[in-house]
Amino acid sequence: MATITIGILGLGRFGRAVAQELSTFDCEVIVIDKNQENVEWIEPYVTQAIQGDIRDFDFLENIGMANCDVAVVATGDSLESSVLGIMNCKKLGINSIVAKAQDKDYRDVLVAIGANTVIQPEKEMGKRVAKSLLRRHITDMVELDENYAVVEFFPPKTWIGETIETLDLRKRYEINIIGLRNKDDGKLDVSFGPDHQVQADDIFVGIAESDKIERYDYLNKLR
């Protein structure tokens, strides 16, 4: 499979975090920042680190930015830089553009000029922390789209000893169980049957509507 190439424009805290995380995967990461110290700091982690101005179309074209499959415009402190960075990426033919925004108005501008995805890191982190504080049984959740997520959760005490079939989770909570994980060894079992008897060390893995499963959990309705 061909390696994906991701360009990161801007090396603030958000840009650095994205670059470092991507460096742990099998992909090429090219980063650009106007500050040479930032460039030197990130250089050991990425494929290529370049000092330059993301507002300069000719500069981006000359360094081969058009070869990127995805561009992350991480200059959230300057609307001008973000706007010109996105416009330049669009002109270079990059189809997938992710951008950072400080607030909703900022976000609306970036979407209007062509960003495919706009992230508000502080707002989204705040939501994530708030949700984690309210969780009773959910241990992890990965969003699949705006409505559905893969969710991992411990069974309530009242489920222990019951079978998957008698619990009828799809009907009661609209959860499709796709696997079971043992909390001690972490191994995922996808070959379980309806007669599986729920154990205290089971972790359920299922697909459900995000809002519904979280609300069931917050309100302690998983019984």
Side-chain angles (χ1 to χ4, degrees):
M1 185 172 65
T3 300
I4 188 171
T5 301
I6 300 173
I8 300 175
L9 285 64
L11 285 172
R13 284 183 297 177
F14 176 70
R16 288 198 302 268
V18 173
Q20 282 186 284
E21 184 65 20
L22 287 172
S23 71
T24 64
F25 295 92
D26 185 21
C27 60
E28 293 188 355
V29 182
I30 300 170
V31 298
I32 302 159
D33 194 85
K34 62 184 178 182
N35 186 300
Q36 182 62 29
E37 289 184 3
N38 289 342
V39 170
E40 291 175 357
W41 186 90
I42 201 68
E43 199 166 16
Y45 299 96
V46 298
T47 309
Q48 191 175 12
I50 307 166
Q51 181 186 19
D53 188 348
I54 69 169
R55 299 172 298 178
D56 185 340
F57 176 80
D58 291 336
F59 162 72
L60 294 179
E61 187 176 39
N62 289 335
I63 66 170
M65 188 71 188
N67 296 322
C68 291
D69 301 290
V70 181
V72 180
V73 181
T75 56
D77 295 333
S78 168
L79 181 58
E80 178 194 3
S81 293
S82 296
V83 167
L84 291 175
I86 292 169
M87 291 176 66
N88 286 338
C89 289
K90 295 287 285 186
K91 286 170 66 178
L92 289 168
I94 301 172
N95 294 321
S96 181
I97 302 172
V98 179
K100 175 192 172 186
Q102 289 182 325
D103 53 43
K104 183 181 181 300
D105 291 337
Y106 204 136
R107 176 188 179 281
D108 291 344
V109 171
L110 301 186
V111 170
I113 62 169
N116 304 98
T117 303
V118 178
I119 298 168
Q120 294 175 244
E122 291 82 4
K123 179 180 178 181
E124 292 180 18
M125 180 56 71
K127 285 183 177 180
R128 199 175 304 170
V129 170
K131 288 181 177 181
S132 69
L133 293 173
L134 294 171
R135 287 176 178 169
R136 297 172 182 268
H137 301 98
I138 294 173
T139 60
D140 196 14
M141 180 177 286
V142 178
E143 302 286 345
L144 297 175
D145 60 18
E146 292 182 356
N147 299 312
Y148 289 90
V150 175
V151 59
E152 294 193 5
F153 61 98
F154 287 108
K157 290 181 180 179
T158 53
W159 293 9
I160 296 171
E162 298 287 341
T163 66
I164 298 292
E165 184 175 28
T166 57
L167 285 172
D168 199 7
L169 300 179
R170 184 170 186 174
K171 182 178 180 180
R172 292 171 63 193
Y173 304 111
E174 300 177 65
I175 306 171
N176 293 307
I177 302 301
I178 59 174
L180 293 169
R181 194 187 301 279
N182 183 281
K183 72 176 182 180
D184 293 324
D185 60 27
K187 291 181 179 178
L188 182 65
D189 176 15
V190 295
S191 61
F192 64 94
D195 58 345
H196 173 83
Q197 196 170 46
V198 178
Q199 306 297 314
D201 57 359
D202 281 343
I203 298 176
F204 284 77
V205 182
I207 296 177
E209 287 189 52
S210 310
D211 289 344
K212 284 187 178 180
I213 185 62
E214 287 185 314
R215 193 158 296 280
Y216 280 135
D217 193 34
Y218 300 161
L219 299 178
N220 202 25
K221 289 187 176 181
L222 291 176
R223 298 174 180 173

